[in-house]
Amino acid sequence: VKPLEPNLRVPGPTPVPPQVLAAMARPMINHRGPQFRALLDEILAGLRPVFGVKEDVLIFPSSGTGGLEAAIVNTLSPGDRVLSVSIGYFGDRFARIASDFGADVMHLDFPWGQAAEPEMVAQRLRLDPSIRAVLITHNETSTGVANDLEAIARVVRDTPALLIVDAVSSLAALPLPADAWGVDVVVTASQKALMTPPGLALVSMNDRAWLAHQTSRMPRHYWDFAAAKKAQDKGQTPYTPALSLLYGLAESLSMIQAEGLPAVYARHHAVGEFTRRGVQRLGLSLLADPVHASDSVTAVRLPDGMDGKALLSLMADEHHVVLAGGQGSLDGKLFRIGHLGWVRLPDVESVLSGLRTVLPGLGYRLDG
Ligand SMILES: Cc1ncc(COP(=O)(O)O)c(C=O)c1O
């Protein structure tokens, strides 16, 4: 008997479609030969519309955090003043990476569950014209909140500061036309809405960001974007590429292209709305400010006194639904449902029906 595939509803790694898994089983090729060049060209062409950029996206074997570090060390110098706009756990991490490399980090923090207010970002930039970069998370996976990145980009692009965006849990789920919005650097990873296993970090850089790169003095070697670009321009990567993951990414990008980006975003929005409505119908409440609730992940407050670990275990053991807990200060206070990448309404229906069965056993009264 084939074991039931668990319904993996953590916000990454996300389920990988069978055709992507099959593509990854292909044999190795010479990474300095014409076949690799064709593969890389196909991937770069597929990535351009997803990032909304005209420049090639840089690809590294790494998780998303490596991409965030790479973005910082390739655009900044020690002592540079940086504004960290954080709305949660991953925003705080981005700030720590910058301070670890010697940036002078100013903090603009918002309560977890809220989005950043563009006017407050504008105010901080007006007060301190020496700020060289703004770091922000597009979609805060720990709280299920999506920032209004278009509005934030509008206030940053009128200043000399670079806008560096963590789009790990948003790219290919939420619209992010980087060139049109004036986002200078966008970082994402393969294991979320790109429907590929973990292991690739992807970074876009616009002209302003490349200009900053020329004078940036933070230490780097493996991450050096000039070396990566030079190699990619020749149809190669500076070091051995994660070939199998690239086979998978080419396949997932062709799925995205076949569905069409507007349809991909509309599907995420429909699934997001469906998740929020379903959770609220169970009488549970969301952490996110409803105006800024994310279409890729939903954070649900645990009812008072409920043991979150017991809830997650019951959902996994009895319903084959794998959910995530809270992170940082939200540990034990909520659970999260990932709905990004290869996801459709029935995937969330089974989460909701599992919750409906499991919650009463944990002392929660379902109303209605
Ligand atoms: C918004 C955000 N940033 C950064 C990361 C870190 O990515 P990784 O675990 O791939 O290093 C994650 C992972 O969940 C994320 O959701």
Side-chain angles (χ1 to χ4, degrees):
V1 183
K2 189 170 173 285
L4 270 176
E5 280 264 335
N7 182 4
L8 185 62
R9 297 268 61 96
V10 298
T14 64
V16 177
Q19 52 274 57
V20 175
L21 286 173
M24 291 192 307
R26 277 164 42 195
M28 293 302 102
I29 52 174
N30 174 15
H31 64 300
R32 307 277 178 223
Q35 271 175 296
F36 182 78
R37 182 180 195 124
L39 173 69
L40 186 61
D41 282 350
E42 180 188 340
I43 290 170
L44 295 176
L47 286 172
R48 254 178 248 124
V50 184
F51 279 77
V53 293
K54 65 173 174 31
E55 288 281 331
D56 283 347
V57 172
L58 304 171
I59 307 174
F60 288 87
S62 164
S63 85
T65 307
L68 296 175
E69 175 172 324
I72 286 170
V73 301
N74 276 281
T75 52
L76 297 170
S77 300
D80 275 357
R81 186 159 286 188
V82 162
L83 180 65
S84 150
V85 180
S86 176
I87 62 167
Y89 181 82
F90 289 104
D92 288 359
R93 180 188 291 181
F94 206 3
R96 274 201 310 281
I97 299 171
S99 64
D100 284 349
F101 280 92
D104 178 16
V105 180
M106 312 280 115
H107 295 269
L108 177 57
D109 294 343
F110 293 87
W112 290 22
Q114 302 292 310
E117 286 176 34
E119 183 43 40
M120 290 182 72
V121 178
Q123 206 175 34
R124 290 294 285 266
L125 291 170
R126 271 197 303 272
L127 283 174
D128 190 347
S130 71
I131 290 170
R132 301 290 299 262
V134 174
L135 310 180
I136 192 165
T137 315
H138 184 192
N139 185 82
E140 181 49 72
T141 322
S142 64
T143 61
V145 171
N147 273 317
D148 184 350
L149 190 59
E150 184 176 13
I152 287 161
R154 205 175 296 130
V155 307
V156 179
R157 74 176 178 229
D158 290 338
T159 74
L162 281 184
L163 180 57
I164 308 180
V165 173
D166 171 348
V168 170
S169 62
S170 64
L171 195 101
L174 317 182
L176 201 185
D179 283 351
W181 287 358
V183 179
D184 300 300
V185 185
V186 176
V187 180
T188 197
S190 49
Q191 78 273 20
K192 309 248 182 194
L194 288 172
M195 306 180 287
T196 303
L200 296 174
L202 308 141
V203 187
S204 73
M205 296 267 288
N206 69 5
D207 293 345
R208 263 173 34 129
W210 279 112
L211 211 60
H213 173 84
Q214 285 176 11
T215 54
S216 86
R217 284 178 291 100
M218 279 189 184
R220 55 182 183 253
H221 181 94
Y222 176 78
W223 296 120
D224 187 53
F225 283 177
K229 180 161 173 30
K230 191 167 161 221
Q232 284 192 191
D233 286 347
K234 289 190 303 186
Q236 296 185 10
T237 52
Y239 317 110
T240 313
L243 271 178
S244 309
L245 293 171
L246 293 176
Y247 295 151
L249 182 61
E251 186 61 35
S252 71
L253 288 169
S254 80
M255 287 175 69
I256 289 172
Q257 196 177 20
E259 184 176 357
L261 273 174
V264 169
Y265 300 142
R267 175 167 54 80
H268 280 88
H269 183 58
V271 172
E273 291 273 11
F274 180 77
T275 309
R276 291 187 284 277
R277 263 203 315 275
V279 163
Q280 284 168 320
R281 270 202 203 116
L282 294 170
L284 298 170
S285 57
L286 308 178
L287 178 70
D289 168 358
V291 180
H292 297 287
S294 156
D295 285 334
S296 69
V297 56
T298 296
V300 185
R301 291 182 198 273
L302 278 170
D304 279 345
M306 186 176 290
D307 178 354
K309 288 201 172 63
L311 173 66
L312 263 50
S313 301
L314 284 170
M315 288 293 285
D317 297 345
E318 297 184 0
H319 296 275
H320 306 282
V321 171
V322 184
L323 300 173
Q327 290 165 298
S329 63
L330 294 173
D331 185 23
K333 302 212 172 90
L334 51 81
F335 66 91
R336 292 173 302 143
I337 308 167
H339 36 84
L340 70 170
W342 195 47
V343 63
R344 300 198 174 272
L345 294 184
D347 300 313
V348 174
E349 257 162 26
S350 75
V351 176
L352 297 170
S353 70
L355 287 171
R356 186 169 284 281
T357 316
V358 158
L359 285 169
L362 292 167
Y364 179 76
R365 257 194 57 171
L366 291 172
D367 294 321

